[in-house]
Amino acid sequence: RKNPSNEGNPNHDFCEFLSELAEYEKNVNRNIYKYNAYRKAASALSTHPIRITSGKEARTLHGVGDKIAKKIDEFLQTGKLQKLENIHNDASSVSINLLTRVSGIGPAKARQLVDDGITTLDDLKKNINKLNHHQTIGLRYLDDFEKKIPRSEIESVEKILQREIFKLDPEYKITICGSYRRGKLESGDIDTLITHPSFTSKSPKNNLLDDVVRTLESCGLVTERLSLGPTKFMGACKLEDLPTRRLDIRLTPCDQYYCSVLYFTGSDMFNKDMRAHALDAGFTLNEYTLRPVDINSEEDIFDFIGYPFKIPEERNK
Ligand code: DCP
Ligand code: MG
Ligand code: MN
């Protein structure tokens, strides 16, 4: 669903099999190291403007090593990948990959379900008692949650969020981040960042997010809760007779706003890259801070670590 394999990319078939191998490593083997390696290679190939014609050529890209170069040669020579064929023929791998498509079911839970003989979505529906609230809602809206959200629909949701949250208190600041902020025409979910001047990293706990979520439920925008903590809401929203959409809301202290906006804008691969760069430059970058300095804009973060500034539309790695 979230892979850099779009048509128009001259190497999209390589990206596709690398993304599939990445998912397999994450979901079935729970090997995050290999997951990251495959994703990094897919990301490198997805931004390479010309068709790769050999493993050797691929090897010159940052993030493509010998093992992946060999797979590219095999794919070029045979039109397929034996490793992937084997995975497709392995029933428990297929089941685990299927079950992890449900929001809230991670690789460990999926493995446990498959070990209990639950291998299809029909099995899942008959065993709701084995699912928590998040997973139950995830199953109910599996089809809807896999549909991409057009940009125009997110714009409509943004207007309602602003109207309702400003009614609560006009001092809130609301920023829709994620792929939407990176300019994508379609997104997987709606990532909303909010902050309020009364909330800083030094102030005590508050119920701001509680109030916001309740307001959004009363007006009918938010239709489901998956989880709600003091700073993080996961849920669903819906407009008229459109599909039910995944909505994430994060409440961030106002003094950490810029690091949060940077983090929540992504992409995740871009964040990885930038964090590694920050470490090399002697800083620690995370969603809260750039230690050990004070930040007053997104540009500040790039400046301090000596990373060329990229507008959100240039962060689609
Ligand atoms: N993020 C991250 N690392 C993760 C997950 C998320 O850095 N493991 C950050 C970067 C993402 C942002 O959070 O861009 C939002 O996460 P999403 O999963 O919603 O991803 P996107 O919005 O980028 O893509 P999509 O359109 O699929 O939602
Ligand atoms: Mg998103
Ligand atoms: Mn999200």
Side-chain angles (χ1 to χ4, degrees):
R1 194 169 56 91
K2 193 198 308 195
N3 55 38
S5 324
N6 44 352
E7 308 287 329
N9 156 10
N11 297 297
H12 81 96
D13 48 350
F14 304 136
C15 294
E16 219 139 84
F17 81 64
L18 291 170
S19 298
E20 212 187 316
L21 287 169
E23 289 301 301
Y24 167 76
E25 291 298 343
K26 179 178 67 161
N27 297 332
V28 181
N29 292 340
R30 285 183 266 168
N31 186 331
I32 293 302
Y33 174 82
K34 287 191 180 176
Y35 165 75
N36 283 330
Y38 282 128
R39 292 213 43 215
K40 194 169 174 191
S43 166
L45 281 159
S46 75
T47 53
H48 190 66
I50 42 177
R51 174 74 179 168
I52 290 285
T53 58
S54 72
K56 193 174 167 220
E57 207 183 314
R59 185 76 183 77
T60 64
L61 302 180
H62 192 69
V64 179
D66 285 332
K67 285 189 212 139
I68 289 173
K70 261 183 97 174
K71 289 191 169 59
I72 287 178
D73 276 330
E74 181 190 340
F75 187 80
L76 283 169
Q77 279 152 26
T78 67
K80 63 188 179 88
L81 221 57
Q82 197 51 50
K83 187 180 168 78
L84 265 187
E85 302 287 304
N86 296 346
I87 293 167
H88 293 158
N89 288 325
D90 178 59
S92 83
S93 297
V94 171
S95 298
I96 289 170
N97 269 322
L98 169 69
L99 299 185
T100 55
R101 282 167 47 194
V102 174
S103 179
I105 298 187
K109 176 72 182 181
R111 163 83 59 181
Q112 195 188 322
L113 289 165
V114 171
D115 287 347
D116 290 347
I118 298 164
T119 61
T120 66
L121 295 177
D122 271 340
D123 292 345
L124 261 191
K125 284 171 196 154
K126 290 181 203 132
N127 287 276
I128 294 288
N129 61 315
K130 289 204 160 69
L131 302 183
N132 66 25
H133 173 72
H134 182 159
Q135 295 157 347
T136 305
I137 304 294
L139 177 61
R140 184 178 309 156
Y141 295 109
L142 176 62
D143 290 343
D144 276 4
F145 287 173
E146 287 192 336
K147 291 184 184 122
K148 290 283 192 176
I149 315 170
R151 193 170 181 84
S152 59
E153 188 177 332
I154 303 186
E155 284 164 0
S156 305
V157 169
E158 185 174 27
K159 289 204 183 80
I160 299 171
L161 288 170
Q162 288 168 344
R163 189 185 69 213
E164 295 301 321
I165 297 174
F166 293 156
K167 246 193 271 172
L168 209 56
D169 185 338
E171 292 219 283
Y172 277 109
K173 185 160 156 183
I174 306 165
T175 313
I176 306 213
C177 300
S179 48
Y180 175 80
R181 187 159 183 261
R182 300 197 310 275
K184 291 282 188 180
L185 298 177
E186 292 183 324
S187 294
D189 65 356
I190 305 172
D191 300 301
T192 307
L193 191 69
I194 59 174
T195 185
H196 191 277
S198 75
F199 177 39
T200 74
S201 53
K202 288 177 183 65
S203 60
K205 271 215 173 103
N206 62 69
N207 345 325
L208 294 176
L209 190 53
D210 252 54
D211 298 343
V212 164
V213 170
R214 257 182 293 120
T215 296
L216 297 175
E217 284 171 336
S218 320
C219 78
L221 179 68
V222 166
T223 54
E224 300 288 350
R225 295 182 181 202
L226 299 172
S227 62
L228 175 60
T231 59
K232 192 174 164 191
F233 168 72
M234 293 174 76
C237 66
K238 181 173 166 61
L239 293 183
E240 290 103 40
D241 46 7
L242 292 169
T244 296
R245 306 301 197 180
R246 277 276 296 106
L247 172 68
D248 283 336
I249 305 178
R250 280 169 184 252
L251 171 69
T252 188
C254 55
D255 53 307
Q256 297 180 345
Y257 172 76
Y258 296 106
C259 284
S260 289
V261 132
L262 177 71
Y263 164 79
F264 214 24
T265 298
S267 68
D268 56 349
M269 294 297 287
F270 177 82
N271 288 348
K272 252 192 221 335
D273 224 69
M274 193 162 163
R275 284 175 185 200
H277 189 98
L279 272 183
D280 288 344
F283 297 87
T284 312
L285 175 62
N286 57 33
E287 59 185 295
Y288 314 110
T289 55
L290 176 65
R291 270 197 305 271
V293 288
D294 278 334
I295 294 299
N296 290 301
S297 68
E298 248 187 329
E299 282 88 340
D300 268 1
I301 307 169
F302 291 81
D303 278 353
F304 272 116
I305 68 168
Y307 195 92
F309 182 70
K310 305 263 191 251
I311 58 170
E313 288 79 356
E314 294 172 322
R315 302 180 200 165
N316 283 308
K317 301 201 127 185

